[in-house]
Amino acid sequence: KPAHFQVAIDGPASAGKSTIAKILATDLKYVYVDTGAMYRAITLAAKNAGLAYEDEAGITALLPEIKIQFLPGEPVQHVLLNGVEVTEDIRSTEITNNVSLVSSYAAVRSDLVNRQRALTAEQPVIMDGRDIGTTVLPDAQVKIFLIASVEERAERRYKENVQKGMKVDLETLKEEIEARDYKDSHREISPLTKADDAITVDTTGQNIDQVVATIKTIIEDHQ
Ligand code: CDP
Ligand code: CDP
């Protein structure tokens, strides 16, 4: 088992992974690693370099120059791409709708998996994404597969966007979520799947506090 405690949280888009992981990390004093933000940052780096998202070779060549940093922040961590704050830019609709393609590239995945594993060397972590339990941290002490109905996930994202003052349509959001889940589950390299030893937590109809409490109990049972 890893020297420092590892909690892996995987699941489809908008299941609540980052919200729950962040709260647990603060409570347990673990470091939170948002791997989705890393894939989003690479996607934004491609855009900033003027590359087409289809340009796998170009994006691969860019990887050694890409620096990604996380800084503490409320309610979300700050994400820096080559020293520049991109916390909001990486959540734009354009990046959201192209990140699944960019994250399907072999070089992108192996580069980010290496960076993610390096973050576990000296500290306990809670890491969320799509392939954490299956690929990044296969020996994690706790693996959670977080799910919720697609209707509820679209609702949650809808409310979040309305709060941010963004104009969105619930049906469009649902279609975008389904399209991204399909791509993430069907790519060749480390697709989104539940690890055999992961515990499924269905959060449909559950608020954030309830989910946090459920997972906290699971972590305590494994300590
Ligand atoms: O928060 P949200 O569900 O919108 O997605 P995210 O966690 O920010 O991840 C964005 C995208 O990055 C996913 O749809 C995947 O295409 C990709 N990703 C991945 O391939 N592997 C991971 N470990 C994390 C994210
Ligand atoms: O990281 P992931 O894409 O899995 O989801 P998220 O960004 O953490 O959560 C998506 C939205 O659902 C956020 O606005 C959360 O506040 C909300 N949420 C919720 O309403 N109830 C839950 N049990 C979990 C998340």
Side-chain angles (χ1 to χ4, degrees), residues 51 55-64 105-108:
L51 295 173
D55 185 357
E56 181 171 359
I59 293 171
T60 297
L62 210 61
L63 291 169
Y105 301 147
V108 171

Side-chain angles (χ1 to χ4, degrees), residues 12-20 128 130 152 156-157 160 203 206-208 211:
S14 292
K17 300 181 298 296
S18 52
T19 304
I20 306 296
D128 83 316
R130 302 292 187 289
E152 182 152 336
R156 291 176 184 172
R157 204 36 79 89
E160 186 182 310
T203 73
Q206 300 233 314
N207 66 29
I208 293 169
V211 181

Side-chain angles (χ1 to χ4, degrees), residues 43-187:
T43 307
L44 181 62
K47 176 184 158 82
N48 290 348
L51 295 173
Y53 300 115
E54 291 76 17
D55 185 357
E56 181 171 359
I59 293 171
T60 297
L62 210 61
L63 291 169
E65 293 153 38
I66 299 178
K67 190 174 171 200
I68 303 168
Q69 293 163 281
F70 292 109
L71 296 179
E74 283 297 331
V76 292
Q77 294 180 332
H78 296 276
V79 183
L80 272 62
L81 170 61
N82 296 331
V84 178
E85 163 112 44
V86 293
T87 314
E88 283 179 23
D89 293 354
I90 60 169
R91 316 251 161 225
S92 72
T93 304
E94 179 178 338
I95 297 303
T96 299
N97 289 338
N98 287 286
V99 61
S100 291
L101 175 62
V102 172
S103 61
S104 71
Y105 301 147
V108 171
R109 297 215 73 82
S110 63
D111 180 286
L112 287 189
V113 169
N114 286 337
R115 296 187 199 209
Q116 290 153 13
R117 286 186 185 144
L119 295 169
T120 69
E122 287 167 13
Q123 58 204 6
V125 296
I126 178 155
M127 196 179 284
D128 83 316
R130 302 292 187 289
D131 60 339
I132 311 307
T134 54
T135 305
V136 183
L137 308 176
D139 300 322
Q141 280 89 344
V142 174
K143 296 183 186 179
I144 305 290
F145 198 69
L146 205 66
I147 59 168
S149 72
V150 69
E151 287 74 21
E152 182 152 336
R153 291 186 285 123
E155 270 306 327
R156 291 176 184 172
R157 204 36 79 89
Y158 178 80
K159 281 188 194 148
E160 186 182 310
N161 286 5
V162 168
Q163 272 170 7
K164 284 187 199 160
M166 284 162 75
K167 206 171 149 258
V168 280
D169 170 69
L170 181 61
E171 195 51 38
T172 307
L173 270 181
K174 187 175 162 230
E175 280 164 17
E176 284 171 359
I177 286 177
E178 282 175 327
R180 198 143 59 89
D181 286 348
Y182 184 87
K183 284 184 223 156
D184 290 343
S185 311
H186 289 82
R187 68 171 172 243

